[in-house]
Amino acid sequence: FHIGEREEKCIIEDIPSDTLVVGNYKVQRWDIHKHDFLESAPGLGMFVTVTSPSGEVLLSKLYGPQGTFSFTSYLSGEHIICFQSNSTRFAVIAGSKLRIHLDIRVGEHFLDESAIQAKDKVNEVNVRLEHLIEQIHHVTKEQDYEREREEKFRKTSEETNSNILWWAIIQTLILISVGIWQIKSLRDFFISKKLV
């Protein structure tokens, strides 16, 4: 995505509880002379701020033009991940665009291939098996979280339907009461005027 040099950009990531999140990013600065983005942005860093669904700041740190950040979610829900450059130029001068390449991996620990190749085959199988078990635990956590969200949504829908039913019953009772009152009032009026 693209942002202005002094602009803050936030993304929302829905994450289950007790889940490791790893993010890799790279910043490129727009070159006015080449009319293209430079391969790197030396001297430019990024403030990365992560806020939990309860508003608690989980991570707030300054990184370089390319880096990796990680945090563990303690609550399930929407986590807000914000990026802002550490540019010190004034807003009038800082008209430069930045391109940010972002890769966020939720609940996965990736294997270091060079370390695996250095070990023998038995250890490699063992490490891959542990990795698969870890992924299974992550998938189970994701399913539990989605089940929790679905149950919450179902309860909200049932409460709404119940409220609508009661509102319809109350409206019907009010209409019947007003109708009976009007009939009684008209009857009393006709009797007082001796039309009946």
Side-chain angles (χ1 to χ4, degrees), residues 114-126:
S114 62
I116 290 175
Q117 289 174 358
K119 296 180 181 180
D120 60 340
K121 293 293 180 184
V122 174
N123 285 341
E124 181 180 338
V125 170
N126 190 22

Side-chain angles (χ1 to χ4, degrees), residues 72-190:
T72 302
S73 64
Y74 297 105
L75 294 172
S76 57
E78 294 179 341
H79 289 67
I80 301 171
I81 304 169
C82 296
F83 298 91
Q84 185 176 19
S85 72
N86 68 340
S87 175
T88 56
R89 299 199 294 177
F90 293 112
V92 177
I93 302 170
S96 183
K97 289 189 294 186
L98 300 176
R99 177 189 287 167
I100 299 178
H101 301 272
L102 178 64
D103 180 25
I104 295 181
R105 298 189 174 154
V106 178
E108 295 185 22
H109 300 280
F110 292 94
L111 302 173
D112 183 9
E113 295 296 330
S114 62
I116 290 175
Q117 289 174 358
K119 296 180 181 180
D120 60 340
K121 293 293 180 184
V122 174
N123 285 341
E124 181 180 338
V125 170
N126 190 22
V127 169
R128 290 199 184 273
L129 186 61
E130 287 175 7
H131 180 68
L132 286 174
I133 290 170
E134 191 173 304
Q135 283 184 329
I136 289 170
H137 288 303
H138 173 67
V139 168
T140 304
K141 259 196 269 185
E142 280 280 338
Q143 287 176 335
D144 290 342
Y145 176 60
E146 291 301 325
R147 199 173 293 118
E148 208 176 282
R149 286 183 60 193
E150 183 182 346
E151 186 177 324
K152 189 187 218 180
F153 179 74
R154 187 172 29 85
K155 281 182 183 176
T156 304
S157 295
E158 288 172 358
E159 287 174 8
T160 303
N161 287 339
S162 173
N163 290 342
I164 289 172
L165 175 66
W166 282 111
W167 179 248
I169 290 171
I170 290 171
Q171 279 183 327
T172 304
L173 290 175
I174 290 172
L175 285 174
I176 290 172
S177 301
V178 169
I180 290 172
W181 177 77
Q182 283 182 338
I183 290 171
K184 186 179 179 317
S185 296
L186 280 174
R187 189 172 150 252
D188 291 345
F189 175 76
F190 288 141

Side-chain angles (χ1 to χ4, degrees), residues 34-47:
K34 293 182 181 177
H35 297 290
D36 196 11
F37 286 97
L38 299 173
E39 193 54 39
S40 64
L44 189 67
M46 292 299 284
F47 284 108

